[in-house]
Amino acid sequence: WSGPSPRRMKRPAGTGPVLSPNENQALGVENLRFPLALRRRFDKILLLSFREKGMAVETPLKYSAFWAGEERRGHMSKMEDYIISIPDYPKPGIIFRDITSVLRDADGLRLAVDEMTQRIGDVQFDAIVGLESRGFLFGMPMAYNLHKAFIPIRKRGKLPRETAHISYDLEYGSAEIEVHKEDITPGMRVVVVDDLIATGGTLEAAVQLLEGLGAKVVKVVCLLELKGLHGRDRLAGYPTETVVAYEGK
C-alpha cells in the first residue's frame, strides 16, 4: 500500500464507532469472500457499511480481508503444479492430465476458479453455460461468484423439459448434447465453460447449439488446452481463453 495511511471517515449521525483496519478482525470480516471480477473494479479504497452493527469501515485494500485472497495468491503454486500428468494412460503414447488433483486441494480449487473467472475479463454477459460434466465443476462456482445464472448442457436424454439438441462426430462414432430450450433466449450473451480444449468437437457443437437458439457466445473459457490437437481452430471467431496450455496431445 503506497497511498496514505488509513484514515477515519466521518460517520453519520446515530452510528457507532468507525473501525480501523486492525479492528476489522473483530467483525469477522476476514472470513468473507469477495468475487475476483468485482475486486478488480474497485480503486484502492474499499468502503463497507455495517449498518446493522452501527459501524462504518474505511479500509485500504492491502489491509482489507477481502483482498486476502490476492495476497495469498503470491504464496500459491502455479496452476500447473496442481495438475498430475500420467504417462501412457489410457493407452501408450498418451499423457493424461488429471484435474482431480486440483479439486482435492482447497488452494488448487480456489486458484482454478479464480483464474478461470479472471479469463472472462470485462465482457458483459448474462449466464455461464457449463458442459457436462466437468464444465459443471468450474462453471457453477464461477457463476456463483459473479452472481450470474448457470445453464447446463447435457448429454441427450438427461434433461426433463423441452430441449434443443445437436449431434457431432467423435473419433469413433458420434454424440449428442442438449439444453433446455426455455433457458436460452434470443440475444442472451453467454460464456461457455469446460475443463479442457482437446479436439474442440464438443465445444464447437455447444456453440452451434446455443447460437442456433439465438444466443451470442461472447467467450469460451477452459482450464486446460492440448495445443497439439488444434481444438482452438474449431472455435475461430470466438474469444477463447485457457489457464494452462500443453504443447503436445
Side-chain angles (χ1 to χ4, degrees), residues 31 40 67 117 124 127 133 148 170 174-175 187 204-205 216 239 244:
N31 293 324
R40 294 201 309 269
W67 202 247
T117 303
Q124 299 299 309
S133 61
K148 297 291 185 179
L170 300 172
S174 62
E204 180 185 37
K216 172 66 175 176
V244 180

Side-chain angles (χ1 to χ4, degrees), residues 15 59 90 100 206-207 217 233:
T15 64
T59 308
T100 61
V207 168
V217 175
D233 296 344

Side-chain angles (χ1 to χ4, degrees), residues 86-159:
I86 303 171
D88 298 322
Y89 182 85
K91 60 183 180 181
I94 300 296
I95 301 177
F96 185 82
R97 311 295 182 177
D98 183 17
I99 64 163
T100 61
S101 52
V102 176
L103 304 176
R104 75 182 182 189
D105 188 290
D107 286 340
L109 177 57
R110 173 177 288 180
L111 183 60
V113 172
D114 283 353
E115 290 283 357
M116 292 176 73
T117 303
Q118 189 175 39
R119 295 308 191 277
I120 295 176
D122 294 325
V123 298
Q124 299 299 309
F125 68 100
D126 304 302
I128 287 178
V129 176
L131 275 59
E132 186 177 354
S133 61
R134 285 171 289 187
F136 300 173
L137 298 175
F138 301 107
M140 271 291 298
M142 291 166 67
Y144 176 84
N145 283 340
L146 295 173
H147 195 206
K148 297 291 185 179
F150 178 81
I151 298 171
I153 286 183
R154 301 207 62 187
K155 297 173 183 176
R156 191 173 183 190
K158 299 292 186 178
L159 295 174

Side-chain angles (χ1 to χ4, degrees), residues 189-227:
R189 297 169 62 86
V190 299
V191 173
V192 176
V193 170
D194 203 2
D195 68 317
L196 173 70
I197 301 178
T199 63
T202 306
L203 283 164
E204 180 185 37
V207 168
Q208 292 174 354
L209 175 61
L210 294 166
E211 296 211 327
L213 292 171
K216 172 66 175 176
V217 175
V218 295
K219 186 159 282 190
V220 176
V221 178
C222 296
L223 181 65
L224 306 181
E225 179 179 4
L226 305 180
K227 296 176 71 174

Side-chain angles (χ1 to χ4, degrees), residues 77-89:
S77 303
K78 296 185 299 181
M79 192 71 253
E80 296 95 312
D81 295 337
Y82 292 102
I83 299 166
I84 296 177
S85 297
I86 303 171
D88 298 322
Y89 182 85

